[in-house]
Amino acid sequence: MKNLDSVLAAYLAGWAIFFVYYISVAQRMSTLREEIERLKAQLTKGK
């Protein structure tokens, strides 16, 4: 029982790291989608 605080802290830290990573990936995906749309618009404009 005395290590329960450490286990809980590690568990919460793991979830916090996961969510930070998830948000980072989501932002990069959003940026890539915007870049793809911009490139598509340039290709159609150039024709």
Side-chain angles (χ1 to χ4, degrees), residues 1-39:
M1 277 311 245
K2 67 180 184 176
N3 291 330
L4 189 59
D5 289 342
S6 297
V7 170
L8 181 61
Y11 180 77
L12 292 175
W15 277 107
I17 290 168
F18 169 75
F19 281 115
V20 168
Y21 175 74
Y22 180 80
I23 290 169
S24 172
V25 169
Q27 287 176 341
R28 284 186 259 164
M29 288 293 293
S30 176
T31 302
L32 285 172
R33 282 190 186 110
E34 290 171 2
E35 182 71 12
I36 289 169
E37 290 303 317
R38 186 185 66 78
L39 290 171

Side-chain angles (χ1 to χ4, degrees), residues 40-47:
K40 282 182 182 178
Q42 277 186 345
L43 284 174
T44 57
K45 188 174 114 177
K47 288 185 177 179

